[in-house]
Amino acid sequence: MSEAPPRLAGRPGLDPAEAARRLAEHGPNLLPGSTPKSLFGIVRGVLTEPMFLMLLVAGGLYLALGDRAEAAFLLSAVFVVIGITLMQERKTQRALESLRELSAPRALVLRGGEEIRVPGRDVVVGDLLVLHEGDRIAADALLLDGHLDVNESLLTGEAVPVTKLPGAEAGQLFASTVVTKGVGVAEAHAVAGFTAVGRIGQALSTTVEPVSGLQLASRRLIRQLATGGLLLATAYALLGWLWDGHGLLQSVLAGIALTMAILPEEIPVILTVFLALGAWRISRHKVLTRRIPAVETLGAISVLAVDKTGTLTQNRMQVAELDLVGDTFRDAGADELPEPFHELVEFAMLATPADPFDPMEKAIQQFGLGWLTDTEHVHAEWAPEFEYALSPDILAMTRVFRGDARDAHLLATKGAPEAVIDLCHLDAGQAAAILQRVEAMAERGLRVLGVARGEWQGAAWPRGQHDFDFRFLGLLGFVDPPRPEVPAAIAECRGAGVRVIMMTGDHPATARAIAREVGLSERAEVITGAELAMLDDAALGERLRHVDLCARLQPEQKLRLVQLLRADGEVVAMTGDGVNDAPALKAADVGIAMGERGTDVAREAAALVLLDDSFASIVSAIRQGRRIYDNITKATRFVFAVHMPIIALALVPTLLHWPVLLMPVHIVLLELLIDPACSVVYEADPAADDIMQRPPRVPSDSPFAAANLRYAVIQGLGFAGLLLLGYGLLLGQGLDAAQSRSAVFIALVAGLFLLTLANRDLSRPAFSRMPARNPWLPRMFGAVALMLAAVVGLPFLRGVMGLAVPGALALLATAGMLAATVVWLELLRRAAPGVARKATAR
C-alpha cells in the first residue's frame, strides 16, 4: 500500500539560469575517481611494452657499434611509437568517455515550473528531484512530498527497503540509493563529494571496463608467442656468434630483429581499438554500450527475447474501446461518450493516480478528462485513504476513498480481467461471457483491463482485496500500434538466424495479434505464466523449443526462461525496463535495458541501453556486432600473415650465409605501416553484403581459431618464399647486396598492401571490391607509396636502411615478385575454399 502521489502544483523549482550559475560555481555532480587516464600513464604504458624496450636496446647497440645514423633512426622511432600510441589511446579514450557520459544516471528535476530530465552530473543543490520507482537518486536530498521505499544497501548493507516520509529525519534520501516503490518530490541539499556516498569513497561514476574474452585469449597467445620468440631469438643470436663467427653485438642485434619480427604486438591494439570504437559506432545507432565485452557477444546472439510494449510497439497507449458486456464504444470519430459508459470511465480514473507514470494509466486519465470534463464524474480533488497495490497473487489494484457517511468508503479497482472477475465473485456464466469479450478484444490487438466498484463500511481495513464486495463495471481496450520499422527488422533477424521470442505480461491473444501483425512468428501457440509455473525445467525447455510467444509472465519467470535458453546452448539477448527485470537482464548473455522508459536499476544491470526503445536499433546493433567481429578476424589474419615474411626474411638469409636482408630499422618501419593497417583500415571496413544472411557464429569461435591462423600462416609463408626466391636469384645474378635488398624491401612493403586487400574478403579476388568502400584504403596506398619514395629517394634514409636506388633489373625483379604474390594469393584462395569460407562466414 502506498500514499497518494505528490502534488507538484506550486513548486516551480530552480530557475534554469540559477541552476546553470550554481553548476558553473560548484562544478558537476560527479563522485570522486572519474578521471581519465593521464598522459603520464599512457607514456608509462608505452615504456613497458616489449617492442619499445627492444627499440631502446637496439638503438643502444648501434651507438656502441658507432653507427650513429641507425641509432638515431631507431631512437627517433621511439617517439613516433609514443605519438601513434597517444593518438590511438586518445581516440579510444574519447569514445569511452562519450559512452560514460551517455551512461551516467539521469534525473527528473523541476525547473522553471516544468519537469525536465537532465544528466545526473547537472543536478545542483536546491534542485527539486521528481522520483519514481526504479530511479537512482542523484543527490542527497530531503523528501518534501510523497511516500517512498528506498533500497539503501549500498550504504548500510541491509537489503530491506527503508520507508521514507516527508520530514527532517524520516525523509532523508541519499545519493546513489534506489527507489523501489512510490513517487515523491525531494530537494537536493548535497552533491558530488559532499554526499554521504562521496564521503565514504563510493565512486559509482568510475567504471572499470571488464576485460573481454577475446582480450584474454589474445593475451595468452601473445605471452606464448613472446616466450617462444625470445627462446628462438636467443638461440639464433648464439648460433650467429658461435657458428658464423659474427661479433657478439651483431648477433644480439640479429636476435632482436628476429624477436621484433615474431612478436605480433598489434593484437592487443586491434582488440582495444576495435571494441572501444565499435561501442562508439553502435551508440550512433541509438544503442549505448555500458560493458565493452558485450560488443563481441552481439555477433553470436541466437535468441532475442523482447518485451512487446515500447519495443515492438510505439508505447503510446490510448483507450480505443469500452465494453459493457453487451454494449461497445469505440473512440474513432465519435462525437460524445454515451451516458451508460460514464460510470466505467469514472471508476477507471479513480483507480488510477492523478499524476500517473504508467502509459496505460496516463491513457486512462487523458481519455477521462477528454470525455468527462465539466461533468460530475471527474473527482480531481479526491485523495485515496488507502491503496492495495498490484501483486503477483492478485493482478489488480484497488484505491479506497472516503464516502459520504461515517466509516463508509468507495472502492475503485482495475486490473487484469481475470483478476477483477475473481474479485467480483461472478458465477461461471457471467465470467465466461466477460472472458469471451476479452478474447475478442485481444484478438484485435487490444490490451484489456477490467474495472469494478465497491463499497466498504468499517473502521478497520481488510488484509486483502478479496475481503471486499465488488460490482463488475466493464472493460477498457487499449491500443499500442507496432512501430513501423519492426516487421522489416524481424524479417532481417529471421534471415540472420536469430530467433525472436516475445516475453510479455500481456494477454495471450494480445501477444498473438501483435506477433501476427509484425511477422514475429508463424507459430500461433502461446505459453502463459500459469502454464509455465506447472512445468519442470526439462519439460519447459522442450516446450520452449517450439513456442515463440510467452504471455502473462511475471518478471521472475523471465529469469527462468533466460536461464533455460542459455542452458540449451543459446546465446540470449533480452530486453527489460523494470526493477524486477534486473536479474534476467544480468543473467542474459546481453542484457538490453530500455533507455526512455527503463529504470536506472534495469540500466545498471544491462550491458546495453536502448536509447530510443526501438527493436530496429537492436537489430542494427547485432549487425554492427557482426561487422566488428568480422573485422577483428580480418585484422588478426592479416597480422599473422604479414609477420611470416618478416620472420623469414630476418632468419633465413643468415642461416644460408646470405647478406643480411632485414635489420631492426626495416622492421620498425614496417611496424609503422602494420599498426595503422590493422587498427584503422580494417576497423573502418564496411559490413559484408551478406552479414545478416549468415547464421550466428558459434560462441566458441575465435579470430585465433586454428583455421583462421593456419590460412594466415600459409598465406604469409608463400609470400615469404617468393621474396626469398627473388633475393636468391638477384644475388646469383651478381647484383650487389644493396640493390638486391632494395628490390626485396620494396616488394615486401608493397606486398603489405596486397595482403590488406586479400584479407578483406576471402570469398572474392583481392581486387574485386572497390577500395572506395573503405575511405582509409586509398590513404594507406598513398602512405605506402610516400614511404617508399622517402626511403629510396632521400640519401640519409637510404643510407640508414642499407638500400640503393634500384636499377632496371631490381625494378623488374620487384614487379615479378609482386605479380607472383598476386597469383599466389588467388591460387591459395581458390585451393582452400573450405578454409576461406570458414574463416569468412562467421
Side-chain angles (χ1 to χ4, degrees), residues 26-37:
H26 301 294
N29 179 30
L30 293 176
L31 295 173
S34 55
T35 55
K37 188 183 287 188

Side-chain angles (χ1 to χ4, degrees), residues 230-263:
L230 285 172
L231 293 175
L232 181 60
T234 302
Y236 177 66
L238 291 174
L239 185 66
W241 180 38
L242 299 175
W243 182 40
D244 286 340
H246 294 159
L248 178 61
L249 292 180
Q250 288 92 337
S251 298
V252 173
L253 277 173
I256 289 174
L258 182 59
T259 305
M260 293 169 71
I262 292 173
L263 188 64

Side-chain angles (χ1 to χ4, degrees), residues 567-714:
D568 200 31
E570 304 286 1
V571 178
V572 182
M574 182 202 157
T575 66
D577 60 356
V579 176
N580 291 332
D581 287 331
L585 289 173
K586 196 168 184 180
D589 294 284
V590 181
I592 305 172
M594 300 297 103
E596 289 184 344
R597 61 189 171 90
T599 61
D600 285 343
V601 176
R603 285 192 285 267
E604 289 195 4
L608 303 177
V609 177
L610 206 57
L611 299 179
D612 60 357
D613 290 7
S614 171
F615 180 82
S617 296
I618 303 176
V619 181
S620 295
I622 292 175
R623 186 186 304 110
Q624 283 294 316
R626 291 187 173 193
R627 182 194 71 82
I628 292 162
Y629 189 87
D630 269 9
N631 289 347
I632 290 175
T633 302
K634 297 174 189 176
T636 302
R637 190 166 56 239
F638 168 78
V639 166
F640 279 86
V642 84
H643 273 268
M644 291 301 104
I646 297 175
I647 294 170
L649 298 185
L651 179 63
V652 173
T654 302
L655 297 177
L656 297 178
H657 300 284
W658 291 351
V660 173
L661 184 49
L662 283 191
M663 297 177 287
V665 286
H666 300 127
I667 296 173
V668 167
L669 204 60
L670 291 168
E671 292 293 340
L672 295 181
L673 284 178
I674 295 172
D675 265 357
C678 297
S679 58
V680 177
V681 175
Y682 280 115
E683 195 281 327
D685 225 23
D689 295 334
D690 67 340
I691 199 163
M692 293 300 280
Q693 279 80 54
R694 309 175 195 163
R697 68 176 175 86
V698 179
S700 58
D701 274 359
S702 165
F704 314 116
N708 197 43
L709 297 188
R710 183 168 57 247
Y711 188 91
V713 169
I714 295 172

Side-chain angles (χ1 to χ4, degrees), residues 96 211 495:
L96 290 175
V211 179

Side-chain angles (χ1 to χ4, degrees), residues 113-163:
E114 295 184 1
E115 290 184 31
I116 60 172
R117 196 167 289 278
V118 300
R121 59 175 291 148
D122 291 346
V123 171
V124 298
V125 172
D127 260 327
L128 292 183
L129 307 176
V130 182
L131 302 169
H132 292 89
E133 176 183 324
D135 286 347
R136 183 171 289 282
I137 301 171
D140 282 6
L142 185 65
L143 186 64
L144 302 179
D145 202 353
H147 178 179
L148 303 175
D149 284 354
V150 180
N151 184 334
E152 296 182 344
S153 59
L154 178 72
L155 293 169
T156 65
E158 176 57 57
V160 178
V162 180
T163 299

